[in-house]
Amino acid sequence: MATDIMQLDITRIEESRINSVDWDNLPFGRVFSDHMLVMDYENGAWQKPSIQPFADLSLTPATSVLHYGQTIFEGMKAYRNEDDEVFLFRADQNARRFNASAERMCMPTVPEDVFIDFIKTLVDIDREWIPAKEGYSMYIRPFMIATDPYVGIRPSATYKFMIFTCPVGAYYTEPVKVKIEIDYTRAAHGGTGAAKAGGNYAASLYPAKLAQEQGYQQLIWTDAKEHKYIEEAGTMNVVFQIGDTIVTPKSSDTILDGITRKSVMDIARDWGYQTEERKVSVQEIIEAAENGELKDVFGAGTAATIAPIKTIHFEGKDYNLPETSEREFSNKVLDYLNQYKHGKVDDKFNWILKF
Ligand SMILES: *Cc1c(COP(=O)(O)O)cnc(C)c1O
């Protein structure tokens, strides 16, 4: 790879904003650390990357991403312990997925080792911004946008790759009520559902808003063709415990291959649970809820790790699930993952990058 790409220009902020942060009241995604990383793609190659003070961008109104949405992102976290050690969790998986998204959206890829080095360097520069408190972390947002000043539909010839970070508090989610969606669709076979591409999220807002008006905080998406099979829960993957078996829809081109879900399944297998990654029908979930076999249901994703679901709505009926305090698997796996990400348990799966 071009050697230029590894020569980071670093311009440090003159005066850190860190003392203006209300650390006891950190809203998710609204507080930004001092620095950001920027790398432009021009003339068929990545140009010299730099780390600079976090600042606004200046773009022509004709910038192609603003019109046609050629944009992708990743979401990951860094953790810090009391000994000032910093941990990244399965960052290689984010690097790989970022490039898979890039290919689907006709965008250039970033070599995986470079992607990880960038993250390590940026996080290290702002390591004081990672709250060393139980459950707290630094959210990391790598993304890429198409920057051609051209109002025509074609893959852009120029791009901007950036990373910025946000200190975030413990993300406690109240158990949510969800509605099984059988009209609207998040992703269809052949579409972009497996990519973290901006348009997927824009398209999901309206159906989610309708569900919220009916009292459901989130949707369970079903397949676009028959609306018979469960895909995801909002912008998280979904995991069920039916009897003693941990079940999740198999990833496909309509289901985002989530790292949290993958880790939960690996841990479940390691703990001796029966696990199944396959098509999961709405019918079977409703039947399991009716006969008391549905022990646990939760969303899995980086922001919340585990988001318990307390009620599932389907065809005019609410199915209530066991109290979260009675759920063995999700409580155990959440606790273990939290400890794992903070380096407090043996890294038996080789998931941690420490620096
Ligand atoms: C990011 C994302 C997830 C969760 O992936 P993680 O790697 O676990 O954070 C699930 N579904 C969608 C649609 C997503 O965008």
Side-chain angles (χ1 to χ4, degrees):
M1 203 52 217
T3 47
D4 260 13
I5 199 169
M6 290 313 296
Q7 288 170 1
L8 260 172
D9 248 344
I10 300 178
T11 308
R12 286 180 182 264
I13 201 163
E14 282 180 15
E15 196 178 335
S16 174
R17 291 178 283 102
I18 200 163
N19 291 325
S20 65
V21 176
D22 179 1
W23 295 97
D24 297 322
N25 181 25
L26 278 177
F28 183 85
R30 292 186 191 278
V31 178
F32 308 107
S33 317
D34 281 333
H35 298 90
M36 63 183 188
L37 182 139
V38 186
M39 178 169 71
D40 291 321
Y41 186 87
E42 289 165 19
N43 304 318
W46 288 111
Q47 307 299 307
K48 191 172 174 139
S50 66
I51 287 179
Q52 352 170 333
F54 184 86
D56 291 349
L57 296 176
S58 172
L59 297 170
T60 161
T63 304
S64 64
V65 65
L66 301 177
H67 304 272
Y68 309 119
Q70 201 189 0
T71 174
I72 58 168
F73 66 94
E74 266 304 320
M76 51 205 290
K77 282 178 171 177
Y79 306 83
R80 187 157 70 116
N81 68 13
E82 297 79 8
D83 300 329
D84 194 37
E85 293 172 311
V86 172
F87 305 88
L88 291 175
F89 182 75
R90 307 192 77 173
D92 58 317
Q93 300 286 320
N94 295 96
R96 187 183 306 171
R97 190 170 66 191
F98 187 77
N99 285 336
S101 298
E103 284 185 5
R104 179 62 183 81
M105 302 306 287
C106 288
M107 301 171 98
T109 56
V110 177
E112 285 177 29
D113 54 338
V114 172
F115 183 98
I116 292 169
D117 271 351
F118 282 173
I119 286 173
K120 277 170 67 178
T121 309
L122 182 68
V123 168
D124 190 41
I125 282 180
D126 282 333
R127 73 194 279 146
E128 294 300 316
W129 285 81
I130 314 173
K133 260 192 355 192
E134 179 79 39
Y136 284 52
S137 60
M138 172 188 268
Y139 186 77
I140 305 166
R141 171 49 60 91
F143 70 105
M144 192 190 330
I145 56 173
T147 52
D148 275 4
Y150 174 58
V151 185
I153 301 187
R154 62 153 201 223
S156 183
T158 59
Y159 296 89
K160 198 177 272 297
F161 171 78
M162 299 185 67
I163 312 172
F164 64 84
T165 66
C166 307
V168 294
Y171 197 109
Y172 175 73
T173 44
E174 286 285 333
V176 292
K177 293 171 77 167
V178 301
K179 177 187 148 190
I180 296 183
E181 178 60 63
I182 49 171
D183 281 319
Y184 293 96
T185 297
R186 189 192 85 89
H189 175 59
T192 59
K196 268 180 130 65
N200 292 342
Y201 305 85
S204 72
L205 297 175
Y206 181 69
K209 185 182 94 168
L210 294 181
Q212 279 156 18
E213 285 165 6
Q214 295 160 24
Y216 301 94
Q217 292 99 330
Q218 244 174 53
L219 291 177
I220 297 256
W221 298 105
T222 53
D223 70 284
K225 201 168 161 198
E226 300 178 279
H227 295 294
K228 281 189 180 159
Y229 296 96
I230 289 178
E231 303 222 307
E232 299 203 48
T235 55
M236 304 178 101
N237 295 114
V238 61
V239 180
F240 303 92
Q241 182 183 349
I242 305 172
D244 289 329
T245 306
I246 309 301
V247 185
T248 189
K250 189 176 167 65
S251 46
S252 67
D253 75 342
T254 58
I255 297 180
L256 193 113
D257 191 12
I259 298 158
T260 313
R261 181 201 75 130
K262 200 180 317 199
S263 308
V264 164
M265 298 308 280
D266 286 345
I267 293 166
R269 251 185 308 274
D270 186 55
W271 285 348
Y273 284 90
Q274 179 81 24
T275 62
E276 293 175 3
E277 298 187 31
R278 57 169 172 80
K279 277 186 142 185
V280 179
S281 72
V282 173
Q283 195 57 36
E284 108 181 78
I285 293 304
I286 295 305
E287 277 171 22
E290 274 175 335
N291 66 28
E293 282 286 287
L294 192 57
K295 309 281 186 212
D296 207 337
V297 183
F298 56 89
T302 294
T305 306
I306 301 289
I309 291 170
K310 66 174 177 187
T311 302
I312 297 180
H313 180 88
F314 180 61
E315 289 185 335
K317 226 179 130 184
D318 275 352
Y319 297 86
N320 292 316
L321 303 171
E323 286 295 326
T324 49
S325 57
E326 289 165 22
R327 302 183 186 187
E328 196 182 308
F329 181 69
S330 56
N331 285 317
K332 225 167 70 174
V333 85
L334 175 60
D335 189 51
Y336 181 70
L337 271 173
N338 279 338
Q339 291 193 49
Y340 204 109
K341 292 171 171 185
H342 283 86
K344 291 189 172 149
V345 294
D346 174 39
D347 182 14
K348 66 188 293 184
F349 299 102
N350 203 13
W351 285 342
I352 296 291
L353 213 91
K354 183 165 100 174
F355 52 98

